[in-house]
Amino acid sequence: SIVTGGANGEVKQFEVFRDGGGTLRHWPQLGSQKLQRRVHRIDAHEGAVTCLHADATKIISACAADGSIMGYKRSSGEEILRMAGFDANLSTIAVSNAALVCDGMGETLCLHDFSEVDEELDAVLSHD
């Protein structure tokens, strides 16, 4: 699948596949179409998405304009993380199982350690 972040603050997911003729196609193709077992569109931010991370269970997005980092379940679009207060230089995120590294705090890189809540987060992500 492909996950995109837009200038309008939306995050979208698309499934990519080859049709019978071997041409790459994406689904959904129209705004009215839906994905099965996944949310297609999330209104994530009040400005352009500047950073994006997606793995099998979650999407993490950031927006310099509203100074936020948001996390969502890929299956339902349910919000699982909200961080605010970052500056207009928020342009980088790196995500592992239990940590998030970002800029957007002046000239400081921030390491957010979620290892204490990792089991709780796994439990939230596994129940749809």
Side-chain angles (χ1 to χ4, degrees):
S1 66
I2 294 174
V3 178
T4 64
N8 62 355
E10 286 183 346
V11 173
K12 293 182 180 180
Q13 302 189 78
F14 299 92
E15 296 299 325
V16 178
F17 60 93
R18 290 196 186 277
D19 66 10
T23 303
L24 279 178
R25 303 278 184 196
H26 65 83
W27 181 264
Q29 295 180 347
L30 303 172
S32 61
Q33 296 170 327
K34 306 283 183 212
L35 289 171
Q36 291 183 358
R37 298 178 303 279
R38 290 204 179 173
V39 66
H40 168 57
R41 184 179 149 293
I42 301 168
D43 288 320
H45 297 282
E46 297 296 319
V49 175
T50 54
C51 306
L52 194 59
H53 163 85
D55 61 28
T57 58
K58 66 188 170 298
I59 296 170
I60 308 292
S61 63
C63 172
D66 68 11
S68 69
I69 297 175
M70 304 294 290
Y72 300 92
K73 283 185 178 184
R74 284 191 76 168
S75 59
S76 66
E78 176 186 346
E79 183 181 307
I80 57 171
L81 173 70
R82 176 185 295 256
M83 301 171 72
F86 298 95
D87 63 31
N89 296 314
L90 177 57
S91 62
T92 305
I93 60 173
V95 180
S96 72
N97 287 344
L100 183 144
V101 178
C102 68
D103 59 3
M105 299 289 282
E107 297 200 13
T108 303
L109 281 177
C110 299
L111 169 62
H112 305 277
D113 181 359
F114 300 111
S115 58
E116 294 294 319
V117 296
D118 196 38
E119 287 181 23
E120 293 174 37
L121 185 59
D122 286 343
V124 167
L125 291 172
S126 65
H127 291 93
D128 287 324

